[in-house]
Amino acid sequence: MVESRLGLEGEVLSILQNIDEGNDFLLSGGAGSGKTYSLLKVIQQLLLESPLSKIICITYTNSAAREIEGRFSSTSLNVSTIHDFLWDNIKSFQKELRSSLLVLANSEEVRAIKSPDGGFDTNHFDQLAIQYKEYSRIAEGIISHDEILVLAHKMYQLYPKLRDITSSRYQYIFIDEYQDSSPYVIE
């Protein structure tokens, strides 16, 4: 494996060394400095060295996701926006979704989710399937981009099994455009 790393750039080798040692890392630099290029080289190397490992690359926009996805043809790599990634990880946990949404809707916290479309009939709400769409109708169980980050954050806080499931699904988790990520995502 070390032989296949010959000729790689210094920052890519440094990232791979951090990965080999089990360390998290942050690659920072100015616009146009090659951060995404380095990330792509790391992914390419990991796919070469460990083709069966599951890798998720999380981006901020659909266009960035398509661009990264278009550079690789591997079933081991999943590229997703942060919103789609979070929804994919929590959508199957409807009971926990409803419970967390109710906690946030009834909270006075800054992070609370407010329902502009009216209050909650909790008896009716308990029967709803929470859905993720382009618009919000909280009282109907429909959330959008505005709520998904806060809701997923709360669910990961309240339900450790979600953290365990996510971390066991992927051997490598990369976030492109980290500087654009919400503090909820980083936490």
Side-chain angles (χ1 to χ4, degrees):
M1 284 187 224
V2 174
E3 298 82 28
S4 67
R5 293 183 178 181
L6 294 175
L8 292 175
E9 293 86 356
E11 61 275 358
V12 173
L13 290 171
S14 178
I15 292 168
L16 291 168
Q17 181 177 351
N18 274 293
I19 291 170
D20 290 344
E21 294 171 359
N23 299 325
D24 295 333
F25 65 91
L26 171 65
L27 178 62
S28 64
S33 64
K35 296 180 301 290
T36 300
Y37 173 81
S38 294
L39 174 64
L40 295 174
K41 294 301 270 184
V42 168
I43 291 171
Q44 181 180 31
Q45 190 65 29
L46 290 174
L47 289 171
L48 178 69
E49 291 178 11
S50 185
L52 299 179
S53 292
K54 295 295 184 187
I55 302 170
I56 178 74
C57 182
I58 302 167
T59 68
Y60 196 72
T61 65
N62 286 318
S63 62
R66 283 189 299 272
E67 181 182 332
I68 292 170
E69 204 167 38
R71 295 179 185 236
F72 300 99
S73 62
S74 173
T75 57
S76 294
L77 174 65
N78 183 13
V79 183
S80 177
T81 65
I82 187 59
H83 297 87
D84 289 340
F85 170 75
L86 291 172
W87 180 245
D88 283 344
N89 282 288
I90 66 174
K91 68 183 176 186
S92 298
F93 301 94
Q94 286 291 313
K95 178 181 175 187
E96 292 86 352
L97 269 165
R98 284 189 298 274
S99 176
S100 298
L101 190 54
L102 283 172
V103 165
L104 288 165
N106 292 313
S107 173
E108 296 299 322
E109 289 181 50
V110 173
R111 299 178 183 187
I113 293 176
K114 300 300 177 205
S115 178
D117 54 344
F120 292 96
D121 174 357
T122 54
N123 293 329
H124 170 70
F125 195 74
D126 284 342
Q127 306 307 314
L128 294 175
I130 305 301
Q131 301 172 62
Y132 173 52
K133 297 189 177 190
E134 295 291 319
Y135 58 91
S136 296
R137 291 202 179 117
I138 305 298
E140 296 175 24
I142 300 171
I143 59 169
S144 73
H145 279 55
D146 293 336
E147 295 84 26
I148 192 76
L149 298 178
V150 176
L151 183 56
H153 180 265
K154 180 57 80 177
M155 288 182 68
Y156 279 106
Q157 278 183 334
L158 294 175
Y159 304 105
K161 71 178 176 182
L162 289 175
R163 295 190 303 264
D164 295 340
I165 290 168
T166 301
S167 65
S168 68
R169 269 175 106 182
Y170 302 101
Q171 285 74 46
Y172 305 102
I173 300 175
F174 297 107
I175 301 175
D176 191 29
E177 301 298 336
Y178 171 87
Q179 71 277 5
D180 295 330
S181 297
S182 159
Y184 298 125
V185 173
I186 303 309
E187 192 174 321

